[in-house]
Amino acid sequence: MDFPRRDFLKKTGLLTSSLLLDSGLMNAIAAPAAGKLRIAVIGCGDRGTGLLKILQDLTDKFEVAGLCDELPFRLRDAQKIGGTNKAKAYSDYRALLDNKAIDAVIISVPLNMHFQVAKDALMAGKQVYLEKTMTYNIPQAMELVQLAQRRPNQILQVGHQYRYSPLYYRVKEMIKQGYLGKVTQIDCRWDRNGSWRRPVPEPSLERKINWRMYREYSGGLAAELLSHQMDFINWAFETHADEVFGTGGIDFYKDGRETYDNVQVMVRYTNEGMVGNFGATCGNARDGYLFKLKGTKGTISLLVDEGVYYPEKETLKEYGTVDGVTGATKITWDKNGGIPITTGVEPLKDGSWYALSDFYRAVNEKKLPDSNVFTGARAACTVHLANQAIYNHTIEKWQPEYNFT
């Protein structure tokens, strides 16, 4: 018999989806009520072309009206993607911004250019979807917040797409509902076994193509990868870092790069009584993407598009003894007693699909998106503090002026 397990699942809401999407996420999934946004992509590298492919599935909301990149071969590659046949090509983003027929821009340029391009786009009256991390440093984040506040009819959304994933939204809800009890530890990794380099057609383009390798342009692994998980913790717990410790080095790829290929950051969230561990290496791919939230009642283990809840033994005793038989619950428990997290909107789409859908909603309703200039600034501050700690061997402290609201 399987009644104890069914009782546990019913009481915890995991037998059927209990995801109650907020109005923004629900509207993002629904069909649009307004006309299409004429959107342009500034920066047609890996991320820019990736978002162009997402836009192929959002043709009811967006018309791609412009493409910009200073490298001609990237422009040519972008123009081969479906849905770009009406897009005008530009090598200078300022000329694109002068085009009054373009309503909105996606900014996916190297990190050191985020601030200036976003500033110019806002000043040109465009709606802005700015890739993460929002800015290269804290002073830029503070200035961009001030500029956005002076332009309330424009949206500046930041590409921390986990804030829009139904899975990650469900996890945030589970934390609020107490599934995990008191969370004390967060373990995050984003590992790979590869150099992170792109092929360069000629040596003069090295720094333009492999900008992630050079500190003048890049925030390294902390900005490009770990910022997603850092931002999710800010969002899920409505918190921010208080102390940031870090270390790292160029420990394997002695190839002239300046950003570290191996980093570890530890964050103290004082008010929540939590420690966050964020690490990335280019020298081992075994863990790949790893995200664990550990509380007194249970653990959540997350991948990008799936998650499992592992109740603590005492949590199971509260609801009954699990007999190890799946039975009529239709819930597959793994060998460690884990319960797959459901959202009610499977199969899940790419997180950027939800994020861009909500960008459309935010622009039309003139409402602040979940990932906005204020939350983006807090994440950018966290990343900047992490890099300061990593490269300077210091302990960095959160300052009150970083509490953007």
Side-chain angles (χ1 to χ4, degrees):
M1 297 192 54
D2 199 38
F3 295 118
R5 177 176 300 178
R6 289 182 62 84
D7 186 50
F8 172 75
L9 293 171
K10 286 179 180 178
K11 288 182 179 180
T12 59
L14 288 169
L15 181 59
T16 58
S17 172
S18 62
L19 176 63
L20 301 175
L21 299 179
D22 70 356
S23 59
L25 192 51
M26 283 296 292
N27 289 338
I29 295 172
K36 294 182 182 182
L37 272 181
R38 294 165 298 182
I39 197 165
V41 176
I42 302 175
C44 297
D46 292 344
R47 185 57 182 159
T49 54
L51 290 172
L52 277 171
K53 292 172 183 176
I54 297 293
L55 290 173
Q56 288 180 309
D57 292 331
L58 293 167
T59 54
D60 57 334
K61 297 178 175 69
F62 298 99
E63 176 187 322
V64 180
L67 299 169
C68 180
D69 202 289
E70 60 182 345
L71 297 177
F73 71 89
R74 281 187 171 162
L75 264 182
R76 289 195 297 270
D77 289 345
Q79 289 173 309
K80 296 175 184 176
I81 296 173
T84 63
N85 54 304
K86 295 182 180 179
K88 184 176 180 180
Y90 298 84
S91 59
D92 186 336
Y93 78 87
R94 290 173 290 257
L96 181 151
L97 295 178
D98 286 338
N99 186 345
K100 304 300 182 185
I102 292 174
D103 305 311
V105 294
I106 291 173
I107 300 172
S108 50
V109 296
L111 180 58
N112 71 311
M113 296 175 62
H114 279 201
F115 168 73
Q116 191 61 55
V117 179
K119 178 180 177 180
D120 291 344
L122 287 174
M123 296 299 291
K126 308 302 183 187
Q127 310 292 342
V128 176
Y129 184 99
L130 176 60
E131 260 306 315
K132 59 87 194 128
T133 301
M134 190 179 89
T135 58
Y136 179 82
N137 59 35
I138 291 173
Q140 291 175 352
M142 299 177 77
E143 186 174 343
L144 201 54
V145 167
Q146 293 169 357
L147 177 61
Q149 285 178 312
R150 296 196 297 268
R151 307 183 78 86
N153 290 325
Q154 291 170 253
I155 297 299
L156 193 156
Q157 182 169 324
V158 182
H160 288 292
Q161 66 263 27
Y162 291 175
R163 288 177 178 256
Y164 300 96
S165 164
L167 172 63
Y168 279 71
Y169 189 92
R170 174 65 180 131
V171 170
K172 173 178 167 63
E173 187 182 54
M174 290 175 68
I175 293 167
K176 185 177 181 179
Q177 292 172 343
Y179 283 89
L180 297 182
K182 172 67 180 73
V183 176
T184 58
Q185 282 277 330
I186 298 154
D187 290 335
C188 305
R189 296 211 61 81
W190 204 327
D191 294 342
R192 61 188 64 198
N193 197 337
S195 69
W196 210 17
R197 283 192 171 277
R198 273 64 172 169
V200 178
E202 57 179 87
S204 64
L205 297 178
E206 163 63 20
R207 295 172 81 86
K208 287 185 181 295
I209 292 175
N210 285 311
W211 58 270
R212 292 176 180 85
M213 307 287 114
Y214 302 99
R215 291 182 61 186
E216 178 183 354
Y217 314 106
S218 171
L221 293 168
E224 294 300 309
L225 299 180
L226 300 177
S227 60
H228 281 299
Q229 293 156 317
M230 291 174 175
D231 177 70
F232 178 76
I233 298 305
N234 287 353
W235 179 51
F237 293 92
E238 299 178 1
T239 189
H240 60 73
D242 290 292
E243 292 183 320
V244 183
F245 312 75
T247 189
I250 303 173
D251 294 326
F252 184 70
Y253 290 101
K254 313 293 186 179
D255 56 1
R257 71 182 61 204
E258 298 168 0
T259 56
Y260 290 169
D261 62 7
N262 187 26
V263 301
Q264 187 69 38
V265 178
M266 185 169 69
V267 175
R268 177 68 179 167
Y269 302 95
T270 304
N271 291 338
E272 287 69 32
M274 297 190 309
V275 173
N277 303 287
F278 303 87
T281 181
C282 293
N284 180 280
R286 177 66 182 89
D287 282 334
Y289 181 91
L290 179 151
F291 200 164
K292 291 182 179 179
L293 311 174
K294 301 177 180 179
T296 54
K297 289 188 174 182
T299 297
I300 289 177
S301 181
L302 279 167
L303 298 176
V304 172
D305 56 2
E306 61 184 78
V308 181
Y309 172 62
Y310 296 99
E312 291 284 293
K313 290 181 180 179
E314 292 301 314
T315 306
L316 289 175
K317 287 180 183 179
E318 186 178 342
Y319 298 101
T321 303
V322 177
D323 63 10
V325 179
T326 301
T329 65
K330 298 182 181 179
I331 298 292
T332 301
W333 291 60
D334 68 17
K335 63 182 180 180
N336 297 314
I339 307 167
I341 298 172
T342 59
T343 66
V345 291
E346 286 89 358
L348 293 174
K349 295 180 180 291
D350 186 286
S352 296
W353 185 93
Y354 298 105
L356 287 169
S357 295
D358 196 60
F359 177 60
Y360 177 90
R361 177 201 63 83
V363 169
N364 280 290
E365 297 180 6
K366 293 185 170 57
K367 290 184 178 179
L368 202 66
D370 275 348
S371 183
N372 53 67
V373 69
F374 306 107
T375 64
R378 288 194 288 272
C381 288
T382 307
V383 169
H384 187 198
L385 294 177
N387 275 324
Q388 291 288 99
I390 289 168
Y391 288 104
N392 299 334
H393 307 288
T394 55
I395 299 174
E396 299 295 323
K397 306 279 189 177
W398 191 263
Q399 301 300 320
E401 56 266 33
Y402 307 157
N403 294 325
F404 306 100
T405 58

